[in-house]
């Protein structure tokens, strides 16, 4: 997730972190596995990105929201590094007692199996995904001053420019979506990687690049205020929160369904009754009307599924990312 700008981000940080220091309660033996007593001590939710980033705000919002259903004290702990892989590995190696969990994108846990030469874990064997909450397709975005009103307009212009055309990316999901579009349409546009989405804005506005593959958290606020134009989404279906924006499939780029999704995961070995309790608390939070409203403001769609379906989806994503990384010609790290 891309860090949001200014006031919106501060507001979300405040709403997501309020009350995390609340509620102390009696002690219980650390090794106990009685689900009726869980949690008997602090639960640590691991955040994979820096405090104040979009991903951190998201993690804190759901960690705090779960607390009212799970009970007890919930502490968010940032473990930053290696594109989120440091946090993922930390949770994979944690004691499987339910007191360490990861609120993160299972799609990213799956992706790292191909984005790293040695991610340090086997996603299917290291984690149980207990529930999901939302999905986030990437966007094909142009500047507000661009003459292109539809993706087909943009495609025709990019085809005419050949290798003089260019587009920007800031994250692996955007790289994959952009590469699939190139591959399917046999475009010659040159990819320009940026460290952050904010770094690319001036080049997009001045026409140095023709389009960007942004995540919706960054792009949608600009689209809504007229400072950018989102032409299409990388999902198979339109977003509930942005029904006016077509998909790449609808716009002449068939077969694209590249979507990130967020949920809660624990290391393998957590007793089933405790997993059930965690999954239920997360799902109760995810299904609140206030959560749906917050997700819409955050640029994502509600997507609530249970443990069995979520685990299968992560495993499916492992296979997809194995193919996508090759199409996008992404060199695995480390």
């Amino acid at each position: 997730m891309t860090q949001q700008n200014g006031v919106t981000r501060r507001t979300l940080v405040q709403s997501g972190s309020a009350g995390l220091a609340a509620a102390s309660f009696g002690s219980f033996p650390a090794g106990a596995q009685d689900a009726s007593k869980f949690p008997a001590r602090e639960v640590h939710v691991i955040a994979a990105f820096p405090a104040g980033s979009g991903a951190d705000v998201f993690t804190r919002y759901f960690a705090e929201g779960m607390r009212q259903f799970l009970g007890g004290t919930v502490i968010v702990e940032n473990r930053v590094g290696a594109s989120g892989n440091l946090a993922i590995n930390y949770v994979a190696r944690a004691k499987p007692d339910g007191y360490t969990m990861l609120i993160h994108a299972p799609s990213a846990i799956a992706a790292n199996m191909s984005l790293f030469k040695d991610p340090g874990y086997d996603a299917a064997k290291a984690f149980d995904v207990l529930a999901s909450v939302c999905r986030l397709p990437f966007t094909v975005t142009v500047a507000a001053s661009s003459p292109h009103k539809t993706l087909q307009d943009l495609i025709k212009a990019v085809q005419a420019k050949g290798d003089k055309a260019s587009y920007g990316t800031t994250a692996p999901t955007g790289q994959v979506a952009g590469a699939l579009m190139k591959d399917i349409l046999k475009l010659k546009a040159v990819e320009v990687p940026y460290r952050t989405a904010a770094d690319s804005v001036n080049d997009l506005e001045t026409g140095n690049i023709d389009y960007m593959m942004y995540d919706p958290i960054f792009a949608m606020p600009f689209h809504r205020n007229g400072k950018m134009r989102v032409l299409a989404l990388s999902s198979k279906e339109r977003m509930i929160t942005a029904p006016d924006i077509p998909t790449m499939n609808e716009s002449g780029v068939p077969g694209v369904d590249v979507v990130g999704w967020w949920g809660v995961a624990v290391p393998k070995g957590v007793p089933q009754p405790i997993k059930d309790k965690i999954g239920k608390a997360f799902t109760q939070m995810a299904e609140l009307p206030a959560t749906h409203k917050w997700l819409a403001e955050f640029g994502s769609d509600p997507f609530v599924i249970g443990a069995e379906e979520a685990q299968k989806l992560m495993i499916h994503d492992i296979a997809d990312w194995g193919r996508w990384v090759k199409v996008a010609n992404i060199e695995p790290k480390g």
Side-chain angles (χ1 to χ4, degrees), residues 28 155 191 195 236 253:
F28 195 76
I155 289 168
E191 179 191 350
R195 189 178 65 86
K236 185 177 181 180
V253 192

Side-chain angles (χ1 to χ4, degrees), residues 275-313:
K275 289 194 296 184
D276 291 344
K277 191 167 185 178
I278 294 169
K280 182 179 179 181
F282 191 84
T283 299
Q284 286 175 306
M285 169 62 184
E287 291 177 337
L288 290 174
T291 300
H292 288 198
K293 181 180 178 181
W294 188 85
L295 287 172
E297 294 171 352
F298 211 68
S300 60
D301 267 356
F303 176 62
V304 182
I305 56 176
E308 183 177 355
E309 191 176 353
Q311 188 74 9
K312 287 180 180 177
L313 182 56

Side-chain angles (χ1 to χ4, degrees), residues 78-151:
N78 295 83
R79 291 190 173 265
V80 180
S83 301
N85 215 38
L86 188 68
I88 296 171
N89 271 287
Y90 178 81
V91 176
R93 290 166 171 73
K95 185 177 180 180
D97 56 9
Y99 287 96
T100 304
M101 66 184 74
L102 183 69
I103 295 180
H104 192 59
S107 54
I109 296 173
N112 282 353
M113 295 294 294
S114 295
L115 293 173
F116 288 84
K117 292 178 181 177
D118 179 12
Y121 61 89
D122 181 331
K125 296 179 180 179
F127 291 99
D128 282 323
V129 185
L130 305 182
S132 73
V133 62
C134 71
R135 59 202 298 270
L136 301 95
F138 264 58
T139 70
V140 184
T141 301
V142 296
S145 59
S146 169
H148 311 310
K149 306 299 184 184
T150 68
L151 185 59

Side-chain angles (χ1 to χ4, degrees), residues 238-251:
R238 293 193 183 200
M239 290 182 70
I240 297 168
T241 52
D244 57 316
I245 301 176
T247 67
M248 293 171 73
N249 284 271
E250 293 176 274
S251 305

Side-chain angles (χ1 to χ4, degrees), residues 29-109:
Q33 296 296 336
D34 184 351
S36 68
K37 303 294 185 180
F38 179 87
R41 51 187 170 86
E42 295 172 345
V43 173
H44 287 251
V45 172
I46 306 304
F49 294 96
S53 66
D56 173 75
V57 169
F58 191 96
T59 299
R60 290 177 185 275
Y61 183 87
F62 283 93
E64 165 61 14
M66 278 182 69
R67 188 178 63 81
Q68 63 181 305
F69 301 108
L70 193 62
T73 299
V74 179
I75 295 176
V76 176
E77 184 178 337
N78 295 83
R79 291 190 173 265
V80 180
S83 301
N85 215 38
L86 188 68
I88 296 171
N89 271 287
Y90 178 81
V91 176
R93 290 166 171 73
K95 185 177 180 180
D97 56 9
Y99 287 96
T100 304
M101 66 184 74
L102 183 69
I103 295 180
H104 192 59
S107 54
I109 296 173

Side-chain angles (χ1 to χ4, degrees), residues 97-326:
D97 56 9
Y99 287 96
T100 304
M101 66 184 74
L102 183 69
I103 295 180
H104 192 59
S107 54
I109 296 173
N112 282 353
M113 295 294 294
S114 295
L115 293 173
F116 288 84
K117 292 178 181 177
D118 179 12
Y121 61 89
D122 181 331
K125 296 179 180 179
F127 291 99
D128 282 323
V129 185
L130 305 182
S132 73
V133 62
C134 71
R135 59 202 298 270
L136 301 95
F138 264 58
T139 70
V140 184
T141 301
V142 296
S145 59
S146 169
H148 311 310
K149 306 299 184 184
T150 68
L151 185 59
Q152 272 299 311
D153 292 343
L154 174 66
I155 289 168
K156 290 174 184 176
V158 170
Q159 288 172 330
K161 290 180 73 172
D163 60 6
K164 298 292 193 295
S166 61
Y167 68 98
T169 63
T170 64
T173 307
Q175 286 179 276
V176 164
L180 287 173
M181 180 168 151
K182 278 182 62 176
D183 185 65
I184 292 165
L185 300 178
K186 307 305 178 188
L187 303 177
K188 296 180 180 179
V190 177
E191 179 191 350
V192 180
Y194 291 88
R195 189 178 65 86
T196 70
D199 292 338
S200 68
V201 172
N202 186 64
D203 281 351
L204 185 66
E205 289 178 343
T206 58
N208 286 337
I209 52 174
D210 294 287
Y211 59 101
M212 280 292 304
M213 306 302 298
Y214 283 134
D215 72 58
I217 296 168
F218 185 85
M220 291 308 296
F222 288 103
H223 176 78
R224 290 175 184 135
N225 66 23
K227 293 184 178 179
M228 290 182 185
R229 187 179 305 121
V230 175
L231 301 181
L233 303 171
S234 67
S235 52
K236 185 177 181 180
E237 299 172 347
R238 293 193 183 200
M239 290 182 70
I240 297 168
T241 52
D244 57 316
I245 301 176
T247 67
M248 293 171 73
N249 284 271
E250 293 176 274
S251 305
V253 192
V256 178
D257 188 19
V258 182
V259 178
W261 55 284
W262 276 65
V264 61
V266 295
K268 283 280 188 184
V270 174
Q272 189 64 47
I274 292 178
K275 289 194 296 184
D276 291 344
K277 191 167 185 178
I278 294 169
K280 182 179 179 181
F282 191 84
T283 299
Q284 286 175 306
M285 169 62 184
E287 291 177 337
L288 290 174
T291 300
H292 288 198
K293 181 180 178 181
W294 188 85
L295 287 172
E297 294 171 352
F298 211 68
S300 60
D301 267 356
F303 176 62
V304 182
I305 56 176
E308 183 177 355
E309 191 176 353
Q311 188 74 9
K312 287 180 180 177
L313 182 56
M314 182 183 71
I315 292 169
H316 184 270
D317 283 352
I318 294 170
D320 278 346
W321 274 93
R323 294 192 299 271
W324 293 341
V325 163
K326 292 177 182 177

